[in-house]
Amino acid sequence: MMLLAVFERAALLLMALFLLTQTQHFQSIVKKQHRRPAETAMISLLFILFAVLSTYTGVKVDGSLVNVRIIAVVSGGILFGPWVGIPAGIIAGIHRYLIDIHGPTSVACLLTSIFAGLLATWIHLSCQKKHYAQLGILAGMVCEILTMVLIVTLSEDKALAYNIVSHISFPMIMGTVCIGLIIKLVQGLDEEKDIVAARQAKLALDIANKTLPYFRINSRESLQKVCNIIREHTQADAVAITDTIDVRAYVGSGEENFLDAHHQISGMTRQAVTTGKQIISNNLNVHEFRSLLIIPLWENGEVSGTLKIFYCRPDQIRLSLREMAIGLSQIISTQMEVSRIEQLKAMASKAEFSALQSKINPHFLFNALNAISTLIRIRPDHARELIANLADFLRYNLERDVELIDIQEELQQVRDYVAIEQARFGNKLDVIFDIEDVHPHIPCLLIQPLVENAILHGIQPSREPGTVTISVKTVGEKIAIMIQDTGVGISQKVIDKLYNGNVDSHRIGLNNVHQRLLLLYGEGLHIRRLEKGTEMLFYVK
């Protein structure tokens, strides 16, 4: 019966703590790593109160009290440290002594209460949190056993002392298992917070990983797929993404109203955009929706839009959803900003590509027209063939509506160019095509400027006839494109200038190809001086 009485009083202590843990204020204090002095004082006062009330609610047995004072002192000291354990032990011990100064157990209870506070403090400072519950039970048993020993040792009436110990020792010692329950209850707040945080972080990352490919496209259709993914993971009834003016994507209940139409953002959404703060409504009454969470999305320190999550039932915007949505919005904001940067880079690259190509075309056209004008009088038939070659080349180039072409089509352009240059140089120029049947896609006018460079700066200055070899071969997972000539050779100074980005203006074709290769593939030309002539090599995938 006395054991049941101990458990009843411990249950009251557990119930009081449980009710406290359901309050947000107490939860916030318990979960803090570093508490303010006022917060520590409040917890200390709470456990002092528990310990004192434990004495008042004790069961009287032969002049002693069966109570749970040690349980309160040890639990508080282990959980919250010296500023709780030691004051609780000292005050509860003095109180126990003063209410029964001449009692047979008053001195023993005073000493063990103080010892319990000190022992609990040592466990808090020296041991790992995961062992607190087991060590708390052990510490409680040690304190109660010490109490029994002191009762017998300090009592003048040994017969009474033995009689008291025989009646209260078992329930008092066994009752200390409640220390473990109390510690587990309070520690569960931290563990629950960590578990919820981990789940929400994992959920946010899962959503981010699945939505990342669609943010790179950044179209209405791709954003609708993003909303679908978020809706599926949050079990929402509808999800929307807006900019600062219009709804960009909407999926879920009422989706048919958003198809093929632009909708301005609502007043609540405009408020979120203006203030930069999330808006929560668990009592919404708009259409069939009753709960709504609006979270701002940021780019470059400014609100660029919102993420909206709708539910048809009220009170669905709970703390866990809010925390997950906040983390998700941060990830989405980052993805949108990265996507925008990538788009700007792509646009800049395209603009630079066009600018570089525009520099090459006039250069080639000038040389082609010079060659044709030379042949018109002396070899008109051949000149007409060259005009046809030039027309084919220009028509092909003007009709290009894609950035990349099949390499075989690019080589046909090179053949048209070579036909014109062989007409210029006659027997002095021989061109060999060593081409594999491969079909990678490359930018147009990538090979021709290198062939032009080999002819004009390699073969032309030489007194002897020369050969230009154009080779396309498979090398591993890449395609190697090589242009060799047997001309005068390129100087190391020109190579160095090319790699340093300050090549001479008359080498504009060579420089442009090198820059475009860097721009498109991240790897430029590989130029090698040969014993006779020059080798230029680059790789495409």
Side-chain angles (χ1 to χ4, degrees), residues 460-479:
Q460 185 177 14
S462 176
R463 295 181 180 180
E464 300 176 359
T467 301
V468 175
T469 303
I470 303 166
S471 172
V472 177
K473 301 286 185 181
T474 302
V475 179
E477 297 182 353
K478 297 182 178 181
I479 304 297

Side-chain angles (χ1 to χ4, degrees), residues 197-213 215 229-230 233 323-332 335:
R199 286 175 180 170
Q200 300 309 318
K202 183 179 183 302
L203 180 59
L205 288 174
D206 286 343
I207 294 174
N209 288 332
K210 291 180 180 180
T211 57
L212 179 59
F215 279 111
I229 293 170
I230 296 173
H233 282 76
E323 294 298 326
M324 185 282 294
I326 291 171
L328 178 61
S329 69
Q330 292 171 345
I331 295 174
I332 289 176
Q335 288 179 337

Side-chain angles (χ1 to χ4, degrees), residues 25-175:
H25 183 61
F26 186 80
Q27 285 183 3
S28 65
I29 294 175
V30 170
K31 292 175 182 178
K32 285 182 180 179
Q33 295 292 327
H34 304 285
R35 301 177 186 89
R36 298 195 300 269
E39 294 170 336
T40 302
M42 188 185 75
I43 295 177
S44 180
L45 183 62
L46 179 66
F47 277 88
I48 290 170
L49 182 62
F50 284 154
V52 170
L53 289 177
S54 297
T55 300
Y56 278 125
T57 58
V59 179
K60 293 184 179 181
V61 178
D62 298 329
S64 67
L65 289 173
V66 176
N67 61 77
V68 292
R69 181 182 59 259
I70 294 297
I71 294 175
V73 173
V74 172
S75 300
I78 290 177
L79 286 168
F80 300 104
W83 293 104
V84 175
I86 293 176
I90 293 173
I91 294 174
I94 293 174
H95 172 263
R96 172 64 182 86
Y97 176 77
L98 291 176
I99 65 171
D100 186 20
I101 295 177
H102 300 294
T105 61
S106 58
V107 176
C109 290
L110 168 62
L111 296 176
T112 51
S113 295
I114 297 172
F115 176 75
L118 295 171
L119 180 59
T121 296
W122 178 82
I123 292 173
H124 174 85
L125 297 175
S126 304
C127 303
Q128 296 180 353
K129 286 185 177 181
K130 63 181 180 180
H131 301 310
Y132 277 1
Q134 301 93 313
L135 292 173
I137 295 172
L138 181 60
M141 289 183 173
V142 168
C143 291
E144 294 295 7
I145 291 171
L146 178 61
T147 301
M148 303 307 142
V149 172
L150 290 175
I151 289 173
V152 174
T153 303
L154 299 176
S155 178
E156 296 179 358
D157 188 345
K158 300 298 182 184
L160 177 61
Y162 280 117
N163 185 56
I164 292 172
V165 169
S166 66
H167 284 92
I168 72 170
S169 59
F170 180 74
M172 295 284 283
I173 293 171
M174 294 305 298

